[in-house]
Amino acid sequence: MPIQMLFGIESLAGKKLSVPDLVSIHPLTLQDIQLIFAMAEAIKEAPADYAAALKGKTLALIFEKPSLRTRVTFDVGMTSMGGSVVFLDHSDAKLGERESVRDVARNLERWVDGIVARTYKNKSVMELAEHASIPVINGLTDLLHPCQALTDYFTILERFGSFQGLKFAYVGDGNNTCHSLIDGAAKLGMELWIATPEGFEPNHRIVSEAEKFAKESGARIEILNDPVEAVRGASIVYTDVWASMGQEAETEDRAAVFADYQVDSELMSHARKGAVFMHCLPAHRGYEVAPSVIDSPQSIVYDEAENRLHVQKAILYLLMG
Ligand code: CP
Ligand code: NVA
């Protein structure tokens, strides 16, 4: 069934999100998320219908950290809808160092129509959104990765047709990707089991906020330290790197602490028959995931990567169209 029908959305024409920015999944309503999914499906099926949707609009891409997927998909997404991008390399000087984040926002809003920012501090993206009158999209911070998690849930919906009756297991570090997956699960009413080593659990504030939404949505969020228990009976097994960007110096120490959390064929054998493996990428084979899993038919990592394009086009269209 088309996603638009599944969620009872009568028409996509003229629809907007209830928020001016996409800094996090937390402020989105369930209807916003469903609209993003329905719009992403429409754009994926008929991209030519949206070829002029952002004609004449410009998106600024501010990146303090490296990127393959986020940078390329926002660039291709924008140009495939008739717009253009300007890339601001902030790998040397962090946002706010040469001039205040507020001044960056107050300048950019005079020239461009939207901003994607990938920063270390989540506060930098929040400040941009606070001071810029144009939409600001979080392209990953140390705390959150909302475009990734929205894409992951879209990919799950595409694969399984529903979020109901699925156990979703996340194994590894309680990091930015994990936090946004928690935010999404809470809104969508998913059953999400997270297994991390002790001391690497997700942020308490994010979990407790999610638990408030879970009461309404029927979501179940379990945080534990046993990967086998998390994966047992799961339809989806997800992992991310053990050392995120900015934590490179901890790579070896973390590899030792996380050794029992590798998603390998043995761990996958506890999942449900037909379970899929997911990873936001970039992946480190032999660390968080074994080649026998990520390179197997169970792996849908390249579908996730492709869907970054469609979901982010939907976000751009809904915020800037
Ligand atoms: N998954 C993801 O955001 O990839 P990049 O870091 O390459 O953008
Ligand atoms: N947790 C990872 C995600 C990369 C897309 C990082 O922050 O480096």
Side-chain angles (χ1 to χ4, degrees), residues 45-80:
E45 279 175 6
D49 292 353
Y50 297 85
L54 297 181
K55 193 161 181 271
K57 306 244 169 162
T58 304
L59 181 70
L61 302 175
I62 302 176
F63 278 62
E64 291 181 354
K65 305 180 182 186
S67 170
L68 175 69
R69 281 147 292 274
T70 308
R71 180 175 173 177
V72 173
T73 51
F74 272 113
D75 192 331
V76 171
M78 198 62 196
T79 48
S80 70

mmCIF file of all heavy atoms in Angstrom, residues 45-80:
data_model
loop_
_atom_site.group_PDB
_atom_site.id
_atom_site.type_symbol
_atom_site.label_atom_id
_atom_site.label_comp_id
_atom_site.label_asym_id
_atom_site.label_seq_id
_atom_site.Cartn_x
_atom_site.Cartn_y
_atom_site.Cartn_z
ATOM 1 N N GLU A 45 9.436 7.749 -6.443
ATOM 2 C CA GLU A 45 8.746 7.101 -7.567
ATOM 3 C C GLU A 45 8.707 7.969 -8.813
ATOM 4 O O GLU A 45 8.742 7.464 -9.919
ATOM 5 C CB GLU A 45 7.310 6.737 -7.153
ATOM 6 C CG GLU A 45 7.306 5.447 -6.375
ATOM 7 C CD GLU A 45 5.947 5.072 -5.829
ATOM 8 O OE1 GLU A 45 4.950 5.754 -6.136
ATOM 9 O OE2 GLU A 45 5.911 4.091 -5.065
ATOM 10 N N ALA A 46 8.621 9.269 -8.648
ATOM 11 C CA ALA A 46 8.490 10.160 -9.826
ATOM 12 C C ALA A 46 9.366 11.399 -9.645
ATOM 13 O O ALA A 46 8.856 12.511 -9.515
ATOM 14 C CB ALA A 46 7.025 10.550 -10.014
ATOM 15 N N PRO A 47 10.699 11.220 -9.652
ATOM 16 C CA PRO A 47 11.572 12.367 -9.410
ATOM 17 C C PRO A 47 11.378 13.494 -10.425
ATOM 18 O O PRO A 47 11.522 14.668 -10.083
ATOM 19 C CB PRO A 47 12.993 11.778 -9.492
ATOM 20 C CG PRO A 47 12.850 10.423 -10.080
ATOM 21 C CD PRO A 47 11.460 9.970 -9.846
ATOM 22 N N ALA A 48 10.997 13.142 -11.667
ATOM 23 C CA ALA A 48 10.836 14.171 -12.711
ATOM 24 C C ALA A 48 9.722 15.161 -12.347
ATOM 25 O O ALA A 48 9.780 16.332 -12.734
ATOM 26 C CB ALA A 48 10.541 13.506 -14.048
ATOM 27 N N ASP A 49 8.740 14.700 -11.573
ATOM 28 C CA ASP A 49 7.631 15.600 -11.180
ATOM 29 C C ASP A 49 8.129 16.718 -10.253
ATOM 30 O O ASP A 49 7.418 17.686 -10.021
ATOM 31 C CB ASP A 49 6.523 14.825 -10.445
ATOM 32 C CG ASP A 49 5.796 13.859 -11.363
ATOM 33 O OD1 ASP A 49 6.071 13.891 -12.579
ATOM 34 O OD2 ASP A 49 4.961 13.072 -10.853
ATOM 35 N N TYR A 50 9.305 16.536 -9.677
ATOM 36 C CA TYR A 50 9.827 17.510 -8.706
ATOM 37 C C TYR A 50 11.084 18.211 -9.238
ATOM 38 O O TYR A 50 11.788 18.865 -8.482
ATOM 39 C CB TYR A 50 10.118 16.796 -7.367
ATOM 40 C CG TYR A 50 8.854 16.241 -6.760
ATOM 41 C CD1 TYR A 50 8.380 14.986 -7.139
ATOM 42 C CD2 TYR A 50 8.101 16.991 -5.876
ATOM 43 C CE1 TYR A 50 7.186 14.483 -6.638
ATOM 44 C CE2 TYR A 50 6.908 16.503 -5.358
ATOM 45 C CZ TYR A 50 6.462 15.241 -5.749
ATOM 46 O OH TYR A 50 5.277 14.764 -5.248
ATOM 47 N N ALA A 51 11.332 18.073 -10.566
ATOM 48 C CA ALA A 51 12.591 18.561 -11.143
ATOM 49 C C ALA A 51 12.750 20.081 -11.052
ATOM 50 O O ALA A 51 13.861 20.592 -11.135
ATOM 51 C CB ALA A 51 12.722 18.101 -12.589
ATOM 52 N N ALA A 52 11.634 20.802 -10.876
ATOM 53 C CA ALA A 52 11.729 22.269 -10.773
ATOM 54 C C ALA A 52 11.190 22.754 -9.422
ATOM 55 O O ALA A 52 10.969 23.942 -9.230
ATOM 56 C CB ALA A 52 10.972 22.925 -11.912
ATOM 57 N N ALA A 53 11.005 21.823 -8.491
ATOM 58 C CA ALA A 53 10.348 22.167 -7.217
ATOM 59 C C ALA A 53 11.118 23.209 -6.399
ATOM 60 O O ALA A 53 10.516 23.977 -5.652
ATOM 61 C CB ALA A 53 10.139 20.898 -6.387
ATOM 62 N N LEU A 54 12.440 23.245 -6.543
ATOM 63 C CA LEU A 54 13.233 24.219 -5.777
ATOM 64 C C LEU A 54 14.038 25.118 -6.723
ATOM 65 O O LEU A 54 15.148 25.550 -6.388
ATOM 66 C CB LEU A 54 14.144 23.499 -4.770
ATOM 67 C CG LEU A 54 13.430 22.689 -3.683
ATOM 68 C CD1 LEU A 54 14.432 22.041 -2.744
ATOM 69 C CD2 LEU A 54 12.457 23.549 -2.882
ATOM 70 N N LYS A 55 13.435 25.380 -7.882
ATOM 71 C CA LYS A 55 14.109 26.191 -8.907
ATOM 72 C C LYS A 55 14.505 27.548 -8.323
ATOM 73 O O LYS A 55 13.704 28.223 -7.669
ATOM 74 C CB LYS A 55 13.144 26.390 -10.080
ATOM 75 C CG LYS A 55 13.799 26.921 -11.318
ATOM 76 C CD LYS A 55 12.905 26.638 -12.532
ATOM 77 C CE LYS A 55 13.559 27.145 -13.790
ATOM 78 N NZ LYS A 55 13.245 28.506 -14.097
ATOM 79 N N GLY A 56 15.763 27.905 -8.542
ATOM 80 C CA GLY A 56 16.227 29.222 -8.090
ATOM 81 C C GLY A 56 16.609 29.295 -6.621
ATOM 82 O O GLY A 56 17.052 30.327 -6.135
ATOM 83 N N LYS A 57 16.424 28.187 -5.870
ATOM 84 C CA LYS A 57 16.761 28.206 -4.429
ATOM 85 C C LYS A 57 18.192 27.703 -4.207
ATOM 86 O O LYS A 57 18.680 26.839 -4.941
ATOM 87 C CB LYS A 57 15.799 27.315 -3.648
ATOM 88 C CG LYS A 57 14.342 27.664 -3.905
ATOM 89 C CD LYS A 57 13.650 28.164 -2.680
ATOM 90 C CE LYS A 57 12.298 28.734 -3.057
ATOM 91 N NZ LYS A 57 11.381 28.890 -2.021
ATOM 92 N N THR A 58 18.802 28.235 -3.177
ATOM 93 C CA THR A 58 20.183 27.842 -2.858
ATOM 94 C C THR A 58 20.266 27.334 -1.415
ATOM 95 O O THR A 58 19.651 27.908 -0.510
ATOM 96 C CB THR A 58 21.136 29.049 -3.032
ATOM 97 O OG1 THR A 58 20.982 29.544 -4.353
ATOM 98 C CG2 THR A 58 22.585 28.647 -2.821
ATOM 99 N N LEU A 59 21.029 26.265 -1.255
ATOM 100 C CA LEU A 59 21.228 25.652 0.062
ATOM 101 C C LEU A 59 22.703 25.770 0.439
ATOM 102 O O LEU A 59 23.574 25.424 -0.360
ATOM 103 C CB LEU A 59 20.844 24.163 -0.034
ATOM 104 C CG LEU A 59 20.940 23.303 1.225
ATOM 105 C CD1 LEU A 59 19.852 23.692 2.232
ATOM 106 C CD2 LEU A 59 20.778 21.818 0.865
ATOM 107 N N ALA A 60 22.980 26.280 1.644
ATOM 108 C CA ALA A 60 24.369 26.323 2.130
ATOM 109 C C ALA A 60 24.657 25.046 2.906
ATOM 110 O O ALA A 60 23.838 24.611 3.734
ATOM 111 C CB ALA A 60 24.566 27.545 3.028
ATOM 112 N N LEU A 61 25.812 24.450 2.641
ATOM 113 C CA LEU A 61 26.224 23.226 3.348
ATOM 114 C C LEU A 61 27.446 23.583 4.196
ATOM 115 O O LEU A 61 28.512 23.862 3.655
ATOM 116 C CB LEU A 61 26.605 22.130 2.356
ATOM 117 C CG LEU A 61 25.561 21.680 1.333
ATOM 118 C CD1 LEU A 61 26.167 20.675 0.358
ATOM 119 C CD2 LEU A 61 24.370 21.037 2.039
ATOM 120 N N ILE A 62 27.269 23.577 5.514
ATOM 121 C CA ILE A 62 28.374 23.907 6.429
ATOM 122 C C ILE A 62 28.855 22.602 7.058
ATOM 123 O O ILE A 62 28.101 21.948 7.784
ATOM 124 C CB ILE A 62 27.891 24.845 7.562
ATOM 125 C CG1 ILE A 62 27.296 26.136 6.983
ATOM 126 C CG2 ILE A 62 29.025 25.146 8.540
ATOM 127 C CD1 ILE A 62 26.705 27.067 8.042
ATOM 128 N N PHE A 63 30.084 22.217 6.775
ATOM 129 C CA PHE A 63 30.579 20.924 7.283
ATOM 130 C C PHE A 63 31.874 21.105 8.065
ATOM 131 O O PHE A 63 32.893 21.490 7.510
ATOM 132 C CB PHE A 63 30.783 19.928 6.122
ATOM 133 C CG PHE A 63 29.510 19.240 5.694
ATOM 134 C CD1 PHE A 63 28.444 19.969 5.195
ATOM 135 C CD2 PHE A 63 29.379 17.863 5.803
ATOM 136 C CE1 PHE A 63 27.258 19.338 4.810
ATOM 137 C CE2 PHE A 63 28.201 17.216 5.423
ATOM 138 C CZ PHE A 63 27.139 17.956 4.927
ATOM 139 N N GLU A 64 31.806 20.777 9.371
ATOM 140 C CA GLU A 64 33.023 20.762 10.206
ATOM 141 C C GLU A 64 33.705 19.395 10.152
ATOM 142 O O GLU A 64 34.844 19.253 10.587
ATOM 143 C CB GLU A 64 32.668 21.052 11.673
ATOM 144 C CG GLU A 64 32.197 22.464 11.940
ATOM 145 C CD GLU A 64 31.872 22.701 13.405
ATOM 146 O OE1 GLU A 64 31.891 21.738 14.212
ATOM 147 O OE2 GLU A 64 31.586 23.860 13.749
ATOM 148 N N LYS A 65 32.938 18.377 9.709
ATOM 149 C CA LYS A 65 33.447 16.994 9.714
ATOM 150 C C LYS A 65 33.344 16.420 8.300
ATOM 151 O O LYS A 65 32.546 16.918 7.501
ATOM 152 C CB LYS A 65 32.587 16.124 10.641
ATOM 153 C CG LYS A 65 32.452 16.615 12.065
ATOM 154 C CD LYS A 65 31.578 15.640 12.862
ATOM 155 C CE LYS A 65 31.370 16.097 14.285
ATOM 156 N NZ LYS A 65 30.647 15.116 15.100
ATOM 157 N N PRO A 66 34.087 15.336 8.021
ATOM 158 C CA PRO A 66 33.990 14.711 6.693
ATOM 159 C C PRO A 66 32.595 14.136 6.433
ATOM 160 O O PRO A 66 31.823 13.917 7.378
ATOM 161 C CB PRO A 66 35.016 13.572 6.748
ATOM 162 C CG PRO A 66 35.815 13.777 7.971
ATOM 163 C CD PRO A 66 35.026 14.628 8.906
ATOM 164 N N SER A 67 32.320 13.878 5.161
ATOM 165 C CA SER A 67 31.036 13.266 4.794
ATOM 166 C C SER A 67 31.104 12.754 3.369
ATOM 167 O O SER A 67 31.677 13.403 2.500
ATOM 168 C CB SER A 67 29.920 14.307 4.892
ATOM 169 O OG SER A 67 28.728 13.796 4.328
ATOM 170 N N LEU A 68 30.498 11.610 3.134
ATOM 171 C CA LEU A 68 30.251 11.153 1.765
ATOM 172 C C LEU A 68 28.744 11.278 1.499
ATOM 173 O O LEU A 68 28.294 12.083 0.693
ATOM 174 C CB LEU A 68 30.702 9.693 1.591
ATOM 175 C CG LEU A 68 30.360 9.092 0.220
ATOM 176 C CD1 LEU A 68 31.179 9.717 -0.892
ATOM 177 C CD2 LEU A 68 30.599 7.571 0.233
ATOM 178 N N ARG A 69 27.961 10.486 2.242
ATOM 179 C CA ARG A 69 26.526 10.398 1.994
ATOM 180 C C ARG A 69 25.778 11.718 2.186
ATOM 181 O O ARG A 69 25.007 12.151 1.322
ATOM 182 C CB ARG A 69 25.888 9.319 2.899
ATOM 183 C CG ARG A 69 26.101 7.906 2.401
ATOM 184 C CD ARG A 69 26.225 6.942 3.558
ATOM 185 N NE ARG A 69 27.456 7.209 4.259
ATOM 186 C CZ ARG A 69 28.651 6.683 3.907
ATOM 187 N NH1 ARG A 69 28.720 5.825 2.933
ATOM 188 N NH2 ARG A 69 29.756 7.006 4.555
ATOM 189 N N THR A 70 25.992 12.355 3.324
ATOM 190 C CA THR A 70 25.191 13.555 3.630
ATOM 191 C C THR A 70 25.490 14.663 2.625
ATOM 192 O O THR A 70 24.580 15.303 2.097
ATOM 193 C CB THR A 70 25.488 14.012 5.075
ATOM 194 O OG1 THR A 70 25.309 12.876 5.932
ATOM 195 C CG2 THR A 70 24.564 15.133 5.506
ATOM 196 N N ARG A 71 26.754 14.869 2.357
ATOM 197 C CA ARG A 71 27.136 15.943 1.432
ATOM 198 C C ARG A 71 26.613 15.675 0.022
ATOM 199 O O ARG A 71 25.998 16.537 -0.606
ATOM 200 C CB ARG A 71 28.663 16.107 1.415
ATOM 201 C CG ARG A 71 29.087 17.194 0.485
ATOM 202 C CD ARG A 71 30.563 17.478 0.530
ATOM 203 N NE ARG A 71 30.901 18.441 -0.524
ATOM 204 C CZ ARG A 71 32.093 18.951 -0.720
ATOM 205 N NH1 ARG A 71 33.087 18.603 0.061
ATOM 206 N NH2 ARG A 71 32.319 19.803 -1.693
ATOM 207 N N VAL A 72 26.860 14.452 -0.474
ATOM 208 C CA VAL A 72 26.461 14.154 -1.860
ATOM 209 C C VAL A 72 24.938 14.151 -2.003
ATOM 210 O O VAL A 72 24.396 14.691 -2.972
ATOM 211 C CB VAL A 72 27.072 12.816 -2.330
ATOM 212 C CG1 VAL A 72 26.526 12.422 -3.698
ATOM 213 C CG2 VAL A 72 28.595 12.917 -2.375
ATOM 214 N N THR A 73 24.240 13.570 -1.040
ATOM 215 C CA THR A 73 22.783 13.471 -1.204
ATOM 216 C C THR A 73 22.100 14.829 -1.084
ATOM 217 O O THR A 73 21.114 15.085 -1.773
ATOM 218 C CB THR A 73 22.164 12.458 -0.220
ATOM 219 O OG1 THR A 73 22.629 12.757 1.118
ATOM 220 C CG2 THR A 73 22.533 11.042 -0.586
ATOM 221 N N PHE A 74 22.613 15.717 -0.227
ATOM 222 C CA PHE A 74 22.013 17.057 -0.185
ATOM 223 C C PHE A 74 22.334 17.828 -1.467
ATOM 224 O O PHE A 74 21.498 18.559 -1.976
ATOM 225 C CB PHE A 74 22.445 17.832 1.065
ATOM 226 C CG PHE A 74 21.539 17.579 2.244
ATOM 227 C CD1 PHE A 74 21.988 16.907 3.371
ATOM 228 C CD2 PHE A 74 20.215 18.018 2.224
ATOM 229 C CE1 PHE A 74 21.144 16.660 4.446
ATOM 230 C CE2 PHE A 74 19.354 17.778 3.298
ATOM 231 C CZ PHE A 74 19.829 17.096 4.406
ATOM 232 N N ASP A 75 23.529 17.653 -1.980
ATOM 233 C CA ASP A 75 23.916 18.352 -3.211
ATOM 234 C C ASP A 75 23.088 17.827 -4.393
ATOM 235 O O ASP A 75 22.416 18.592 -5.102
ATOM 236 C CB ASP A 75 25.431 18.157 -3.447
ATOM 237 C CG ASP A 75 25.979 19.072 -4.537
ATOM 238 O OD1 ASP A 75 25.224 19.430 -5.455
ATOM 239 O OD2 ASP A 75 27.174 19.415 -4.483
ATOM 240 N N VAL A 76 23.091 16.505 -4.563
ATOM 241 C CA VAL A 76 22.337 15.917 -5.690
ATOM 242 C C VAL A 76 20.836 16.174 -5.507
ATOM 243 O O VAL A 76 20.118 16.479 -6.463
ATOM 244 C CB VAL A 76 22.639 14.400 -5.802
ATOM 245 C CG1 VAL A 76 21.728 13.719 -6.806
ATOM 246 C CG2 VAL A 76 24.108 14.180 -6.174
ATOM 247 N N GLY A 77 20.378 16.073 -4.276
ATOM 248 C CA GLY A 77 18.954 16.300 -3.998
ATOM 249 C C GLY A 77 18.524 17.699 -4.384
ATOM 250 O O GLY A 77 17.488 17.906 -5.025
ATOM 251 N N MET A 78 19.316 18.667 -4.003
ATOM 252 C CA MET A 78 19.002 20.066 -4.288
ATOM 253 C C MET A 78 19.048 20.327 -5.805
ATOM 254 O O MET A 78 18.109 20.904 -6.362
ATOM 255 C CB MET A 78 20.039 20.921 -3.547
ATOM 256 C CG MET A 78 19.676 22.347 -3.350
ATOM 257 S SD MET A 78 18.213 22.578 -2.350
ATOM 258 C CE MET A 78 17.862 24.281 -2.754
ATOM 259 N N THR A 79 20.110 19.882 -6.453
ATOM 260 C CA THR A 79 20.239 20.179 -7.895
ATOM 261 C C THR A 79 19.191 19.407 -8.705
ATOM 262 O O THR A 79 18.686 19.916 -9.700
ATOM 263 C CB THR A 79 21.661 19.872 -8.420
ATOM 264 O OG1 THR A 79 22.053 18.585 -7.971
ATOM 265 C CG2 THR A 79 22.672 20.870 -7.915
ATOM 266 N N SER A 80 18.809 18.207 -8.237
ATOM 267 C CA SER A 80 17.797 17.440 -8.987
ATOM 268 C C SER A 80 16.404 18.052 -8.839
ATOM 269 O O SER A 80 15.465 17.655 -9.529
ATOM 270 C CB SER A 80 17.787 15.973 -8.556
ATOM 271 O OG SER A 80 17.279 15.876 -7.248
#
